[in-house]
Amino acid sequence: MTETTTLRAFAPSANVSFLKESATIAVSARARALKAQGRKVIDLGAGEPDFDTPEFIKRAAERAIDAGATKYTATEGIMPLREVIAARASARWHGDRITASEVVVSNGSKQSLFNACFTLFGEGDEVLIPTPSWTSYYEMVALSKAKPVSVIGDPQNGLKVTAAFLDAASTPRTAGVMLNSPCNPTGAVYSESELREILELADERDWWVLSDEIYRRISYGGTAASVLDLSSRRDRLIVIDGVAKAYAMTGWRIGWTIAPRAVSAAMGALQSHTTSNAAAPSQHAALEALTNVGEAEKAISVMVAEFHARRDAIVNEMAAAPRLEFVYPEGAFYLYANVATPKGGDGTAFAAALLEQHEVAIVPGAAFFTPDWVRLSYAAPREQVITGVQRLVQLYQSFGG
Ligand code: PLP
């Protein structure tokens, strides 16, 4: 007797079938393919610092491995790390001391954001997302079965939203709002008064506030505010942060949430059934980054000073094209420009032309729901950044801009 097996074609489940490949990854892949053909591509697409992790952090990880930090840890993270995160948060917060039980350490702030969305939102909920913003917010909210509601910011004010914009986009189903200052992709930083106004509205409506503060240490006009400095209540507040950007530790994958105890417990339970703890050596590396403050602050100030110098150089180059609209970058390491022209088309056509003809990789703004714009990352050597911006300006001008 012969047995025949019919192989059914794979179709992704409804859980994930709507997901799109991250546009930033698509650009990097195309840039890599061109490089493999021998083309000298300047890659200004990446969203990670071009610095190496500071030596003192790497050495701490080695010591931790030698001392046996190679096993599972508590799902929520090792206690000394959670304690230092809680202590640093407490120093910003005017109310009761924040405790380690309100901290969950995860595999990067990306997982922290996912944990928060999946734990707080569900079917029938709407979540306000100031737009443009980081592409994964929309997908994380959708994975949680809630509806991402894009709220386009004001081009006259760094593409930032105001409380009035959020109010206008809200409905009785609105359950929360995502904040990100300094912002990826625009580099805009919300002032204290702008943030306070949004927090007051959220408070009035009982919305969850998810504040992604991953770029907070990278700002050029003084320290960017944390919602912990400004909010009057914390029972609806989730602060998301991590070591990836400020400490040049993207590959170590350490992020965290600071959230009310019941929310933290639910996120910990979710994580216990998905990834368990973040890698033990990475947690010890993050602990060193947060406790060896002298070394850490030295390293951060060197990196931020270099980003600052590149920012100034870029703004200088952009002056060559007075009609080219861009958000004045006050933080993070991105430049966001409106490159649409009748001759050249939108940001997607522009980014393709810049890569194929001028060998500069940037990210089309379609990835951030603003298709006329493009994002350029200046987390790359200064001379490459300057050349990249010069070519961008030239291409814009060749399209009659
Ligand atoms: N939030 C924003 C706004 C980001 O741009 C990124 C990374 O690009 C992340 C979160 C994720 O960072 P992590 O490496 O900590 O997961």
Side-chain angles (χ1 to χ4, degrees):
M1 198 171 78
T2 52
E3 219 174 90
T4 50
T5 329
T6 317
L7 286 177
R8 257 192 300 156
F10 165 71
S13 77
N15 294 331
V16 295
S17 55
F18 59 88
L19 291 177
K20 292 179 288 294
E21 186 192 5
S22 153
T24 43
I25 290 172
V27 173
S28 304
R30 180 68 188 139
R32 257 198 312 279
L34 289 177
K35 277 186 202 163
Q37 291 166 18
R39 307 262 302 263
K40 283 200 178 60
V41 174
I42 297 179
D43 191 351
L44 306 181
E48 66 179 332
D50 53 316
F51 302 101
D52 196 10
T53 301
E55 284 301 314
F56 77 97
I57 298 174
K58 293 199 281 190
R59 296 294 83 81
E62 283 175 355
R63 286 196 303 275
I65 291 170
D66 290 343
T70 57
K71 310 278 189 193
Y72 292 132
T73 72
T75 295
E76 299 82 0
I78 56 173
M79 194 46 93
L81 178 57
R82 293 166 71 204
E83 275 169 350
V84 70
I85 293 166
R88 288 164 68 113
S90 289
R92 309 198 75 89
W93 174 244
H94 61 82
D96 292 351
R97 199 171 64 81
I98 297 170
T99 66
S101 61
E102 295 163 287
V103 175
V104 177
V105 175
S106 300
N107 294 275
S109 66
K110 198 174 218 174
Q111 186 184 19
S112 305
L113 282 155
F114 176 79
N115 283 350
C117 289
F118 211 69
T119 299
L120 296 172
F121 305 128
E123 194 105 40
D125 288 336
E126 295 178 2
V127 180
L128 303 176
I129 305 182
T131 299
S133 66
W134 188 47
T135 179
S136 294
Y137 295 156
Y138 307 89
E139 309 287 8
M140 288 176 185
V141 168
L143 280 167
S144 311
K145 308 261 184 296
K147 182 178 162 197
V149 176
S150 164
V151 186
I152 301 279
D154 179 3
Q156 307 301 320
N157 185 30
L159 284 168
K160 291 186 275 188
V161 298
T162 62
F165 284 39
L166 296 171
D167 190 16
S170 68
T171 74
R173 288 180 299 281
T174 303
V177 57
M178 310 283 299
L179 300 179
N180 177 220
S181 173
C183 173
N184 176 8
T186 61
V189 175
Y190 282 74
S191 70
E192 288 195 4
S193 62
E194 288 166 338
L195 273 181
R196 201 173 269 123
E197 220 188 20
I198 292 172
L199 290 168
E200 278 165 11
L201 176 71
D203 180 358
E204 199 182 291
R205 302 293 166 81
D206 225 19
W207 294 338
W208 290 104
V209 174
L210 278 65
S211 181
D212 176 355
E213 303 189 351
I214 190 80
Y215 293 102
R216 205 177 59 77
R217 294 303 311 275
I218 307 173
S219 71
Y220 313 119
T223 317
S226 163
V227 291
L228 285 171
D229 301 321
L230 306 170
S231 183
S232 58
R233 61 192 275 200
R234 214 165 56 74
D235 59 330
R236 292 260 162 193
L237 198 62
I238 320 293
V239 178
I240 297 102
D241 205 344
V243 290
K245 313 287 180 175
Y247 299 86
M249 291 178 70
T250 45
W252 299 78
R253 312 307 303 130
I254 296 291
W256 56 82
T257 44
I258 299 159
R261 196 166 307 176
V263 180
S264 295
M267 290 191 293
L270 168 64
Q271 189 167 301
S272 78
H273 293 297
T274 51
T275 60
S276 298
N277 60 276
S282 295
Q283 292 190 58
H284 285 274
L287 176 62
E288 178 73 10
L290 298 186
T291 47
N292 192 341
V293 176
E295 287 295 320
E297 291 304 312
K298 250 192 284 171
I300 291 173
S301 59
V302 168
M303 291 189 271
V304 173
E306 176 56 26
F307 286 136
H308 195 159
R310 293 176 196 169
R311 190 284 305 264
D312 290 348
I314 285 175
V315 170
N316 212 17
E317 294 298 333
M318 295 294 278
R323 282 201 300 276
L324 179 45
E325 182 188 12
F326 65 97
V327 175
Y328 189 81
E330 294 181 310
F333 35 70
Y334 304 111
L335 172 79
Y336 209 54
N338 181 347
V339 292
T341 54
K343 193 167 156 202
D346 66 4
T348 304
F350 187 93
L354 193 66
L355 179 57
E356 303 297 334
Q357 297 161 28
H358 301 278
E359 299 176 329
V360 178
I362 54 172
V363 181
F368 313 105
F369 294 90
T370 36
D372 285 346
W373 298 68
V374 291
R375 186 193 79 177
L376 177 149
S377 160
Y378 48 93
R382 204 187 306 184
E383 58 295 347
Q384 289 187 20
V385 170
I386 292 172
T387 306
V389 177
Q390 286 169 342
R391 291 183 193 170
L392 179 147
V393 166
Q394 280 158 15
L395 182 64
Y396 181 72
Q397 287 172 329
S398 77
F399 288 141

